[in-house]
Amino acid sequence: MQRGTQETRTMAEPGERPQSMREDSFSDIHPALHPSITNVPVTPGIALSGKSSYFQSPPISPSLKRTSQPHSNAKFSAIHSTHDGDATKRLPDSPTHVTHGAKTGAELLRRLSLVDGGGTKPDFIDLNPRAAHPGLQLSGSVISVTFCIPHSVGLREGADWELGSRRGTSALFDSFSHLSSENSPWNHTLIGWTGEIKPIIGPQNGPDSPIATRDSTVGKAAALWKQVTAPLNRASAPIPFEGATKPHIPSSGDGIRVTKADRQRLEKQLAHDDDGKVVPVWLYDEVEGGSDICLKDQARWRRYAEHELYTLFHYKQHEPTDGRGERKAWADYYRMNQIFADKILEIYKPGDIVWIHDYHLLLLPAVLRQRLPNIYIGFFLHIPFPSSEFLRCLGRRKELLEGVLGSNMIGFQSFSYSRHFSSCCTRVLGFDSSHAGVDAYGAHVAVDVFPIGIDAAAVEEDAFGDVDIIQKMAAIRELYAGKKIIVGRDRLDAVRGVAQKLMAFEMFLERFPEWRDQVVLIQVTSPTSIEEEKEDSDNKIANKISDLVSKINGTYGSLSFSPVQHYPQYLSKNEYLALLRVADVGLITSVRDGMNTTSLEYVVCQKDNHGPLILSEFSGTAGSLSSAIHINPWDLGGVAKAINEALIMTPPAKQIQHEKLYRHVTTNTVQAWSTKYLRRLLINLSSFDQSIATPVLDRPKLLARYRQASKRLFMFDYDGTLTPIVKDPQSAIPSDRVIRTIKTLASDSKNAVWIISGRDQAFLDEWMGHISELGLSAEHGSFIRQPKSEVWENLTEKTDMSWQKHVMEVFQHYTERTQGSFIERKRIALTWHYRRADPEYGAFQARECQKHLENTVAKKWDVEVMTGKANLEVRPTFVNKGEIAKRLVEEYGDKVGEAPEFVYCLGDDFTDEDVFSVTVGASSKQTLATWHLLEPSDVIASIALLNGAADTECFSPVSAAEGMNLEARL
């Protein structure tokens, strides 16, 4: 469909260059704005007519043509433009300008809020992202990754594949359409699974086939479904076959054989699609005849996501099982994410942005990050995210959270979902978090809210530009003449709240008898696409809805009229839009929902009628549509009252409410959503200076220098470096591998190995004291024990320790008020631990305690208050690991003032900064260290490498150091 006329004042005709941009005017342009950089070509293969990527529409009149606007739909821009010149001058110039110099994530978000709700003037960052962020070295390409491609796929042997329109997630598909259009500055590629492939039997359908429609793509989809599917349950729409007999369909147990030629044919069809490049992912287990694949039990790939994740994310739980089915489904889920990563890396180029969508691919960000540490990854979750109390019931909770934390930025539909996610990362993984993001392994992962919209111009064009819709509206009005029409459209899912809607409507008729015979509820229930709901073999949901409809109609209906009209089927687009236009009230009662696009489409279709919208407060749309009538679907009496209020609302009140809703829906479109998300992602990426990233430890270089040195010094932290951080400090016991590795290293006469820890003498003596060649330093350098000695030397003997009494009183005060916290008393320092406490409350109390100590004790005595991992420590200012490190470097140097030939220091937190050469944590961790390792297991592996241990992971570094391939010897 034609996207619209060009705005002559700002845009030239395709292929024509404005006079102001002639070559002779480029000499004074900033290098980053030169056309060689900024003229990024639109996605190859995109139709210049600006057609939708996935749907086709009939020709429309010029007055209804959609216009081009990078942010949203230009036809609505005049409605929302500001005429206040002074106010405009006070707005920040651009997001890039306003965020310059932001020091924290919270400050970054605060500054961004100044520009997100501005006018319609396109920002430079949206028009030319590469030029706006030259430091990111963007390629100009976005790779969108979603579970299924927008087409349903049918296989016909020896012919082109049948491509139909996939139902559901229309807003997401519209965003892909926008990114692939001429209005986007990005080159766009979509990656997704083919979905369940259906075999097609019989002749290919021609344009004049009885099942063909004005939308040829939809016609093919109808043909496909007529030939290969039965109703999902008795509440779904019956689809009759042409003729008296059904064609033979191969048994699903036999599988579907797909040849290499078939796969190449589909890939070519999708790659040369008129509206954007689509790359299919093939999920299969068996390979036949060399290159042929056999597809069996295709639904297995969606089973874990839709049976376990979808259910729990919508606050539902299964009965306990033996776990065998879940383990098998998890293995498929894990493998599927690996296969998606393989496909992405086939087409990925440095500088590409990978945008991953939804709960089927939660592991994918971490898989990609492991393979490409510097890749730009955005993730968006389209369904709700549950509270930590529910997520903790999930067996694979840790793996899933760590998987999605491989992203640079994570987006959610509403603030409550983002808050739940951050809280889960804190409570389940122990990471620090805030409303701005999560600090995972030292790296900051941004977390933000981006409510998705719809293609408002397309919906309005379709709803008001077709005579057939007007005829259908007239037929509906004639059928229900003199009656108010309430409309609901939901999928047959338990979370959609259809049963609650019907029970509330029954209560409405009971409490407000004056409306009996004066109002009709038209409820359309389409079959579900979720694997979990398909397994409802007893049709419990459908039976319950059917029973409620029969009860209401039997109680309040008559032979000539039924107050509930239930249509368990798919509606055609025209029927659906006609229903939304003719409605007097829109009623949505979902008990848990991500983003309900029906509510947004209803608002657009009510442009003339101004019908009120009743919306569940549990829908992700509720936070965006604040002017709607919000209801609690579990409060049936409240819903009944809201229905009555909507029906008796005065026309002026309806108009005021609708104008606010309409302004929001037509401003915050799906085009604006994708633009805003990518803009925020780029700003977050740019706000982190990539040049200060700590590179991963160069193991070949480490091994080479180790072998060259005749005198070597090793200094290791203990907690978080040699052993992982645990909730109970006394449980941080070194493993047998740690002890053996350290002992082997210390036994080399060329090596001096020291452990410099915040632990006290007793702990270090108990677990490390038996290694006689090992030097020990306790309480951050306050005490030392030389190698081959059992005597501890106190370096703080003459220090005034009277401050401990006052600190003890403060710590005791907060311990009594923070359940799970405790005090650790050392000879020199005092530490308050809150690892066992509620993470958020513990962190809050720690901040309060720190302020208290800094304003009292720290001003009176020469002490410092140090924050660690879930602890707060007070110690004399001269006591730190840096002092003992200086002493050891001087002691083991060849000459006075010279360091040993080889010094290897490892630590993981702020208390180790004075010593660092290698930090344990992520590459983006702010540190003085030269290198980084990810976790304690990597530390032990690097030491084992120096010991000459024949671990498989050591082969490559040894090969590089020796200049040969050791793998070839095996």
Side-chain angles (χ1 to χ4, degrees):
M1 61 187 71
Q2 181 67 37
R3 282 292 181 191
T5 57
Q6 303 295 321
E7 296 182 81
T8 56
R9 290 186 300 170
T10 59
M11 299 184 68
E13 292 296 320
E16 181 181 331
R17 178 178 298 175
Q19 184 66 34
S20 60
M21 295 294 290
R22 300 296 182 189
E23 293 293 341
D24 55 5
S25 64
F26 292 146
S27 57
D28 297 328
I29 289 182
H30 189 279
L33 303 182
H34 194 275
S36 62
I37 296 178
T38 61
N39 285 353
V40 183
V42 180
T43 309
I46 300 301
L48 293 179
S49 61
K51 293 182 180 179
S52 167
S53 289
Y54 308 118
F55 301 97
Q56 297 179 7
S57 295
I60 54 176
S61 60
S63 61
L64 289 175
K65 286 185 177 180
R66 302 168 194 169
T67 56
S68 300
Q69 184 78 358
H71 286 285
S72 59
N73 298 10
K75 68 179 292 182
F76 301 117
S77 60
I79 303 175
H80 316 301
S81 60
T82 177
H83 301 285
D84 190 348
D86 295 334
T88 304
K89 292 178 182 179
R90 291 194 296 269
L91 291 175
D93 296 338
S94 70
T96 307
H97 172 76
V98 79
T99 56
H100 178 71
K103 301 296 183 183
T104 65
E107 176 66 10
L108 182 69
L109 289 178
R110 188 191 70 78
R111 296 189 182 191
L112 285 172
S113 67
L114 300 175
V115 295
D116 281 347
T120 59
K121 181 181 177 181
D123 185 40
F124 178 64
I125 190 174
D126 303 326
L127 298 176
N128 257 308
R130 285 176 56 178
H133 298 280
L136 296 180
Q137 298 182 346
L138 298 171
S139 65
S141 297
V142 171
I143 302 174
S144 294
V145 190
T146 186
F147 179 55
C148 287
I149 62 176
H151 307 287
S152 59
V153 178
L155 172 61
R156 186 189 302 275
E157 291 189 18
D160 284 348
W161 291 67
E162 294 276 358
L163 301 181
S165 298
R166 187 177 299 279
R167 296 184 182 273
T169 61
S170 58
L172 177 61
F173 295 160
D174 284 340
S175 73
F176 299 151
S177 174
H178 167 66
L179 290 173
S180 297
S181 73
E182 59 187 10
N183 299 324
S184 169
W186 300 100
N187 294 317
H188 182 249
T189 301
L190 175 62
I191 294 179
W193 179 40
T194 59
E196 289 86 346
I197 294 174
K198 308 293 183 180
I200 302 298
I201 309 297
Q204 191 166 2
N205 299 310
D208 299 326
S209 170
I211 59 175
T213 66
R214 67 181 179 85
D215 186 334
S216 60
T217 305
V218 176
K220 292 178 181 178
L224 172 60
W225 284 105
K226 285 187 179 182
Q227 293 182 8
V228 301
T229 64
L232 298 173
N233 51 58
R234 70 184 187 188
S236 64
I239 305 178
F241 287 95
E242 301 293 335
T245 60
K246 293 183 180 181
H248 171 71
I249 302 299
S251 169
S252 59
D254 299 337
I256 300 175
R257 189 173 65 89
V258 183
T259 66
K260 183 177 181 181
D262 290 329
R263 299 199 301 275
Q264 291 176 340
R265 191 179 302 114
L266 177 61
E267 291 169 359
K268 184 177 180 180
Q269 280 182 251
L270 296 176
H272 294 86
D273 188 88
D274 290 340
D275 307 307
K277 182 179 180 181
V278 179
V279 178
V281 175
W282 301 94
L283 299 178
Y284 57 90
D285 270 337
E286 297 183 22
V287 179
E288 297 183 350
S291 60
D292 296 352
I293 62 175
C294 183
L295 305 178
K296 294 182 179 180
D297 188 16
Q298 298 181 67
R300 63 186 293 189
W301 305 108
R302 60 172 78 239
R303 195 158 292 146
Y304 184 83
E306 297 182 2
H307 188 271
E308 303 295 336
L309 299 183
Y310 182 89
T311 304
L312 189 132
F313 280 30
H314 286 83
Y315 291 81
K316 294 168 59 184
Q317 286 182 275
H318 295 296
E319 294 294 329
T321 65
D322 61 7
R324 294 178 184 176
E326 180 182 348
R327 286 193 294 272
K328 183 178 179 182
W330 169 258
D332 291 334
Y333 184 81
Y334 183 86
R335 182 165 178 264
M336 177 187 72
N337 278 261
Q338 295 282 351
I339 294 173
F340 265 84
D342 295 339
K343 180 58 68 173
I344 292 169
L345 295 182
E346 287 180 12
I347 66 172
Y348 172 82
K349 305 184 302 297
D352 287 357
I353 293 175
V354 179
W355 189 0
I356 303 169
H357 295 269
D358 231 1
Y359 61 103
H360 296 88
L361 303 172
L362 289 174
L363 300 179
L364 185 55
V367 175
L368 290 173
R369 182 71 61 196
Q370 290 169 357
R371 302 187 190 182
L372 294 173
N374 296 321
I375 190 173
Y376 302 144
I377 302 176
F379 184 90
F380 189 86
L381 186 68
H382 292 263
I383 64 172
F385 195 91
S387 69
S388 61
E389 295 303 314
F390 264 81
L391 190 78
R392 286 156 73 179
C393 299
L394 196 62
R396 299 288 181 172
R397 58 193 184 179
K398 182 179 178 182
E399 292 90 335
L400 293 166
L401 288 175
E402 290 176 339
V404 75
L405 284 172
S407 311
N408 295 104
M409 186 176 78
I410 305 169
F412 295 91
Q413 298 278 15
S414 73
F415 176 73
S416 62
Y417 303 158
S418 68
R419 178 168 50 85
H420 288 162
F421 175 79
S422 297
S423 176
C424 286
C425 291
T426 299
R427 295 174 182 274
V428 176
L429 299 178
F431 294 149
D432 292 334
S433 66
S434 67
H435 66 278
V438 179
D439 295 322
Y441 304 111
H444 183 76
V445 180
V447 175
D448 214 334
V449 179
F450 304 91
I452 197 171
I454 59 173
D455 189 347
V459 173
E460 184 165 324
E461 180 183 288
D462 292 335
F464 293 88
D466 196 328
V467 176
D468 181 55
I469 292 179
I470 298 176
Q471 295 172 349
K472 291 184 184 300
M473 290 172 58
I476 296 173
R477 288 197 179 104
E478 182 180 353
L479 187 62
Y480 303 109
K483 294 178 173 56
K484 296 288 187 179
I485 300 175
I486 302 174
V487 168
R489 200 283 298 261
D490 306 274
R491 286 207 308 260
L492 193 66
D493 298 346
V495 299
R496 303 299 171 179
V498 179
Q500 285 81 353
K501 182 185 301 183
L502 292 171
M503 289 188 285
F505 185 69
E506 180 184 16
M507 187 170 290
F508 162 74
L509 294 177
E510 176 186 341
R511 293 189 177 183
F512 302 95
E514 66 273 16
W515 285 109
R516 298 174 188 174
D517 297 327
Q518 301 299 316
V519 64
V520 59
L521 170 62
I522 301 178
Q523 175 63 40
V524 180
T525 309
S526 57
T528 182
S529 60
I530 302 300
E531 184 73 16
E532 158 71 7
E533 305 292 351
K534 290 180 183 179
E535 295 180 4
D536 180 19
S537 57
D538 296 330
N539 297 320
K540 294 178 182 178
I541 302 173
N543 288 342
K544 184 175 184 179
I545 293 173
S546 179
D547 292 343
L548 285 170
V549 171
S550 299
K551 180 183 176 184
I552 297 171
N553 288 339
T555 304
Y556 300 104
S558 63
L559 291 175
S560 59
F561 173 68
S562 296
V564 178
Q565 300 293 323
H566 182 220
Y567 297 93
Q569 64 186 60
Y570 288 118
L571 291 183
S572 69
K573 180 191 289 186
N574 284 5
E575 288 174 328
Y576 171 61
L577 294 175
L579 198 58
L580 293 185
R581 283 192 61 184
V582 81
D584 295 293
V585 176
L587 181 57
I588 297 171
T589 56
S590 51
V591 296
R592 192 68 60 178
D593 204 356
M595 184 58 65
N596 191 300
T597 56
T598 300
S599 59
L600 307 178
E601 292 161 347
Y602 174 81
V603 169
V604 174
C605 291
Q606 286 290 314
K607 184 178 68 170
D608 298 332
N609 201 27
H610 302 159
L613 172 64
I614 302 176
L615 182 61
S616 168
E617 64 186 43
F618 294 107
S619 170
T621 326
S624 304
L625 303 181
S626 56
S627 298
I629 302 174
H630 291 184
I631 50 94
N632 176 1
W634 300 102
D635 178 12
L636 303 182
V639 178
K641 183 180 178 182
I643 294 174
N644 180 64
E645 291 175 354
L647 291 173
I648 64 175
M649 188 180 291
T650 63
K654 289 182 183 179
Q655 183 174 357
I656 292 173
Q657 182 194 80
H658 182 266
E659 284 177 352
K660 295 178 181 178
L661 295 173
Y662 185 81
R663 183 181 302 111
H664 174 85
V665 173
T666 55
T667 302
N668 297 280
T669 61
V670 71
Q671 294 88 348
W673 170 77
S674 57
T675 299
K676 180 180 178 182
Y677 183 94
L678 291 171
R679 178 203 311 158
R680 187 68 62 87
L681 174 61
L682 293 177
I683 291 174
N684 274 295
L685 290 171
S686 296
S687 65
F688 171 64
D689 185 359
Q690 302 289 336
S691 64
I692 65 174
T694 310
V696 68
L697 177 64
D698 189 339
R699 296 191 184 193
K701 187 175 182 180
L702 173 73
L703 181 60
R705 291 194 176 181
Y706 175 83
R707 291 178 171 178
Q708 293 170 2
S710 59
K711 203 169 187 179
R712 316 174 186 116
L713 173 63
F714 295 85
M715 292 178 282
F716 302 135
D717 177 39
Y718 183 79
D719 290 289
T721 302
L722 296 179
T723 62
I725 294 292
V726 294
K727 288 192 174 183
D728 184 359
Q730 298 305 316
S731 300
I733 299 171
S735 66
D736 181 61
R737 188 188 182 207
V738 170
I739 292 175
R740 285 188 288 107
T741 304
I742 294 294
K743 188 171 184 177
T744 303
L745 185 70
S747 63
D748 189 328
S749 59
K750 296 180 180 180
N751 298 341
V753 184
W754 282 76
I755 292 180
I756 307 176
S757 173
R759 295 281 186 166
D760 59 19
Q761 302 140 274
F763 183 91
L764 293 179
D765 264 334
E766 181 179 1
W767 296 107
M768 293 291 184
H770 63 283
I771 306 177
S772 60
E773 301 88 354
L774 187 64
L776 300 175
S777 173
E779 298 193 30
H780 303 290
S782 301
F783 302 88
I784 62 171
R785 197 195 80 170
Q786 295 288 343
K788 298 182 180 181
S789 171
E790 295 184 359
V791 180
W792 285 89
E793 179 184 352
N794 186 352
L795 303 182
T796 59
E797 237 174 337
K798 300 178 181 179
T799 305
D800 179 12
M801 305 301 293
S802 59
W803 56 268
Q804 286 194 340
K805 177 183 176 182
H806 300 273
V807 173
M808 197 70 179
E809 292 175 355
V810 175
F811 278 171
Q812 190 63 42
H813 172 84
Y814 283 93
T815 301
E816 292 171 357
R817 289 159 177 77
T818 310
Q819 185 178 4
S821 65
F822 61 94
I823 303 171
E824 181 185 5
R825 183 160 194 167
K826 305 173 184 177
R827 293 278 297 275
I828 297 299
L830 290 175
T831 307
W832 182 66
H833 295 274
Y834 55 93
R835 295 178 190 173
R836 301 175 187 170
D838 179 272
E840 295 175 356
Y841 185 66
F844 169 76
Q845 289 290 76
R847 290 192 295 270
E848 295 298 312
C849 183
Q850 183 180 3
K851 291 178 187 176
H852 189 164
L853 291 170
E854 289 174 346
N855 292 328
T856 55
V857 177
K859 291 184 177 180
K860 189 174 181 181
W861 283 277
D862 191 19
V863 297
E864 60 182 342
V865 184
M866 301 291 294
T867 57
K869 290 186 175 178
N871 67 66
L872 204 62
E873 183 168 279
V874 182
R875 66 190 187 191
T877 53
F878 66 87
V879 174
N880 61 69
K881 295 179 182 180
E883 293 299 322
I884 190 65
K886 291 178 184 177
R887 175 172 174 166
L888 294 176
V889 167
E890 292 177 0
E891 181 179 338
Y892 287 95
D894 292 332
K895 298 178 182 178
V896 178
E898 288 188 6
E901 297 176 70
F902 181 92
V903 180
Y904 189 41
C905 309
L906 292 102
D908 74 304
D909 64 13
F910 183 75
T911 64
D912 304 309
E913 281 295 317
D914 294 328
V915 191
F916 278 164
S917 64
V918 178
T919 182
V920 182
S923 60
S924 55
K925 185 175 182 178
Q926 299 295 313
T927 177
L928 299 176
T930 309
W931 312 98
H932 91 272
L933 292 168
L934 190 59
E935 53 189 358
S937 61
D938 294 328
V939 172
I940 302 305
S942 71
I943 300 173
L945 170 66
L946 303 183
N947 289 337
D951 292 344
T952 305
E953 61 184 290
C954 296
F955 284 142
S956 294
V958 172
S959 300
E962 295 188 350
M964 63 181 67
N965 187 359
L966 293 184
E967 291 92 332
R969 298 180 182 179
L970 298 179

